[in-house]
């Protein structure tokens, strides 16, 4: 095993120019494949930078470019049968072609600095140093590219802009005029519309790139490219938009895309690259710098990222790599989810495939929720704004969807897989999905204490969904309330001819009283009760829901000591299904805790032991959070390692790809987001309160042996706490707790507790 250097040693070792191994991805060669390229994003546009010499490719997306409609796809179990779901589409590519002498670059290096959100490529050729910088600016709404040569007049290149390939549609042609390249297209059916092919929804799209040279010449070519010759440096601004509008009442269509693109390019051109870059870094750091995890660097931490990941998978210690992946999840959320936009989808924001896995959509039986697990605990609350807006729209859109199965007196119902146009794949009605989503509203209030948000945004969902479930529950033979048509995503017990039970992947036979449904309804009722108490609202309904919660069929322990997944004791100890639906109450729920319900916590552990620590990328991320909630740092640490298993681009396996994207397989971004949330859960938990409302802040509840020392700043806990901690030899050495709301709290470290009262706005320096 590689020796672990202390922080001090590391800073001595690190040369001035060496990147910070906890905040930088870097490579010694350009990306050969998309999953080696590096992502930038401004919450709306995403770009993947390949860093090639002699040819750069920047593949880009804009989050609203979707095929599909607001319908429920028919032919439910054969996705794509009528295309109503559509899919998230690649937008286009920007290519930069350099002359022959760039073919043999020396001292090549490309990197992504998470702390600035700038991707950079540098190399030398013919005695000239070339530098390329790429970032996506949220304040200015463009992707900005800067090219520099160390020698005046040495920069010569051609820019091409291409519409993505989306057969059977033909890519729109690119025009070049003056310094600007652009294309405009529309998803019109390529042939007279087949009556059931709702894929081609008529969405209009437009992209343009403007090239600004310093010195030398610029010229638009008849083939639609733009050439720059003999420049000192050059800037390219890229913008893309559609005519999508987030408004179900207008069938999701607004104004044409061209004026939006032109306004962004004109604004960027006026401000210039340096101002854009300064504005971008300030904006990015206002979020990114709020939280920071320091774990020890080793010798391996200084390798290029792909080699570093391979060394780690080979058994090397590299806690700083585990910190890098924590920061990466935050970086990716900042880059893919900003107020006013759409939520991060299954691939966040980045997609180069016209037929992406699971449409690159919004899947509600774990995936979109997991995307937002890190938002509150890692101090990125604003980034969850798009999730809340989307949920509100889905709730409204269901009323316009012609599907009768979505009708309900009160509350609303969602399918498993959804697009941003009010439509869905038709596969698997997900009855408790809306209740699960509503807990994100509840948590946003729990973390912030923002009563306005509680009253206007959270409470309407919590109340109408509590009423919906109150009406849906039925009594079983023992007088317990159960959900009549439950499901445990995504499998179910099927009785064979010989009477034996087999657990079948994807089975959706209704399972009354499935634990997943029962635990989500318990969670919803509990959230409703707490929210209505805080608001002093609806005492009658609250009393009724409290009574109903009491009568709910609760967790059951089965014949082999497991937490039962179904009402009947039919769990198979050999089943290693990826979903952990029946331990929802451990995480993200709070029905089961080692302190309050130790016997159920033990049963959950038995179930999780049987399930194993591997399975898909997101499954591993969930297991990190689950082991953390069971206060088992060593197991959480084992799963951290397994989530970081190196998966070379092009290989189908679960783990982490060369650009540190999570692999289900294939690539899905939920595991990146879930990982970051899981690590936060290992360091700090705040889901418990005592009867008097005292908030428990559990510091370092699940520290793994592999992180004997370290520090973290800016983690958030419920009731408005922000917490910094340092630890050594596996023990807390100091904590700094800032209380925004003045809620009384209890610090827990190991078995010790200490009650505290801190007025709003004050700081406690805690020395254990
Ligand atoms: C759920 C999971 C799959 C996949 C898909 C997007 O259906 O069961 O593993 O992650 O979502």
């Amino acid at each position: 095993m590689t020796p672990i250097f202390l922080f001090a040693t590391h800073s001595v070792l690190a040369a001035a120019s060496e990147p910070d191994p906890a905040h930088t991805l870097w490579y010694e060669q350009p990306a050969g494949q998309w999953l080696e390229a590096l992502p930038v994003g401004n919450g709306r546009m995403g770009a993947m930078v390949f860093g090639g010499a002699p040819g750069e490719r920047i593949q880009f997306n804009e989050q609203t470019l979707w095929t599909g409609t607001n319908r429920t796809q028919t032919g439910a179990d054969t996705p794509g049968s009528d295309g109503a779901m559509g899919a998230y589409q690649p937008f286009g590519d920007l290519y930069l072609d350099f002359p022959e002498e760039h073919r043999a670059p020396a001292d090549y290096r490309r990197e992504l600095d998470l702390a600035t959100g700038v991707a950079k490529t540098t190399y030398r050729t013919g005695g000239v140093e070339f530098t390329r910088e790429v970032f996506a600016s949220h304040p200015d709404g463009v992707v900005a590219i800067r090219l520099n040569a160390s020698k005046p007049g040495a920069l010569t290149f051609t820019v091409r802009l291409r519409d993505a390939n989306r057969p059977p549609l033909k890519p729109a042609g690119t025009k070049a005029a003056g310094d600007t390249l652009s294309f405009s297209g529309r998803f019109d059916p390529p042939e007279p519309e087949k009556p059931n092919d709702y894929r081609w929804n008529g969405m209009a799209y437009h992209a343009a790139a403007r090239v600004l040279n310093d010195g030398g010449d610029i010229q638009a070519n008849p083939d639609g490219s733009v050439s720059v010759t003999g420049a000192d440096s050059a800037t390219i601004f890229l913008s893309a938009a559609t005519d999508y509008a987030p408004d179900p009442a207008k069938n999701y269509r607004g104004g044409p895309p061209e004026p939006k693109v032109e306004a962004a390019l004109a604004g960027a051109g006026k401000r210039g690259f340096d101002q854009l870059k300064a504005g971008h870094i300030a904006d990015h750091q206002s979020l990114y710098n709020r939280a920071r995890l320091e774990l020890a660097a080793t010798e391996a931490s200084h390798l290029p990222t792909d080699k570093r990941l391979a060394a780690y998978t080979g058994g090397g210690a590299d806690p700083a790599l585990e910190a890098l992946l924590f920061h990466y999840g935050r970086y990716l959320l900042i880059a893919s989810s900003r107020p006013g936009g759409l939520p991060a989808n299954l691939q966040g924001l980045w997609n180069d495939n016209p037929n992406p896995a699971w449409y690159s959509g919004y899947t509600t039986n774990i995936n979109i929720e997991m995307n937002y697990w890190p938002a509150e605990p890692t101090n990125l609350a604003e980034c969850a704004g798009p999730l809340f807006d989307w949920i509100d729209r889905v709730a409204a859109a269901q009323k316009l969807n012609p599907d009768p199965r979505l009708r309900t007196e009160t509350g609303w119902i969602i399918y498993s897989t959804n697009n941003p146009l009010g439509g869905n794949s038709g596969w698997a009605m997900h009855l408790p999905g809306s209740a699960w989503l509503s807990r994100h509203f509840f948590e946003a209030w729990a973390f912030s204490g923002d009563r306005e948000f509680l009253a206007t945004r959270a409470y309407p969902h919590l109340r109408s969904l509590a009423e919906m479930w109150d009406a849906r529950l039925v009594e079983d033979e023992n007088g317990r309330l159960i959900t009549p048509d439950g499901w445990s995503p995504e499998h179910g017990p099927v009785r064979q001819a010989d009477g034996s039970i087999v657990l079948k992947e994807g089975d959706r036979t209704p399972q009354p009283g499935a634990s997943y449904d029962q635990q989500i309804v318990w969670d919803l009722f509990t959230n409703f009760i707490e929210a209505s108490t805080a608001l002093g609202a609806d005492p009658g309904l609250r009393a009724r829901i409290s009574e109903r919660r009491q009568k709910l069929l609760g967790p059951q322990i089965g014949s082999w000591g497991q937490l039962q997944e179904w009402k009947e004791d039919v769990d198979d100890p050999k089943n290693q299904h990826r979903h952990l639906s029946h331990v929802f109450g451990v995480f993200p729920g709070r029905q089961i805790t080692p302190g309050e319900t130790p016997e159920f916590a033990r049963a959950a552990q038995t179930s999780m032991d049987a399930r194993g620590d591997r399975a898909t990328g997101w499954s591993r991320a969930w297991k990190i959070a689950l082991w953390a909630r069971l206060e088992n740092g060593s197991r959480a640490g084992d799963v951290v390692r397994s989530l970081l298993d190196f998966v070379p681009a092009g290989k189908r396996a679960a783990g982490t790809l060369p650009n540190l994207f999570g692999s289900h397989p294939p690539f899905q971004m939920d595991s990146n987001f879930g990982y970051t949330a899981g690590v936060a859960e290992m360091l700090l938990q705040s889901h418990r309160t005592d009867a008097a409302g005292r908030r428990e802040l559990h510091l370092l509840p699940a520290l793994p042996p592999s992180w004997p020392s370290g520090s973290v700043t800016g983690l958030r806990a419920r009731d408005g706490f922000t917490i910094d901690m340092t630890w050594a030899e596996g023990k807390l050495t100091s904590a700094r707790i800032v209380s925004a709301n003045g809620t009384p709290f209890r610090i827990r470290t190991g078995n010790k507790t200490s009650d505290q009262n801190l007025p709003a706005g004050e700081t406690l320096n805690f020395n254990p």
Side-chain angles (χ1 to χ4, degrees), residues 346 357-358 361 363-367 416-417 427 487 489-490 505 577-579 616 618 664-665 668 670:
L346 198 61
W358 292 286
T363 303
T364 60
N365 64 30
I366 179 66
N367 318 85
S416 282
T417 308
W427 187 81
W487 178 39
E490 297 184 0
E505 170 65 41
H577 198 271
R578 62 194 176 285
H579 281 268
T616 60
W618 60 253
H664 174 286
Q668 263 183 222
D670 39 20

Side-chain angles (χ1 to χ4, degrees), residues 748-765:
R748 184 145 85 94
T749 49
N751 295 327
K752 290 199 201 106
T753 61
S754 147
D755 287 358
Q756 306 280 346
N757 294 305
L758 196 62
E762 301 232 330
T763 300
L764 171 77
N765 287 308

Side-chain angles (χ1 to χ4, degrees), residues 469 472-474 482-486 510-513 518:
W469 279 101
R472 290 191 77 89
L473 295 173
V474 297
I482 59 168
T483 61
D485 34 21
Q511 300 290 343
Q518 296 295 124

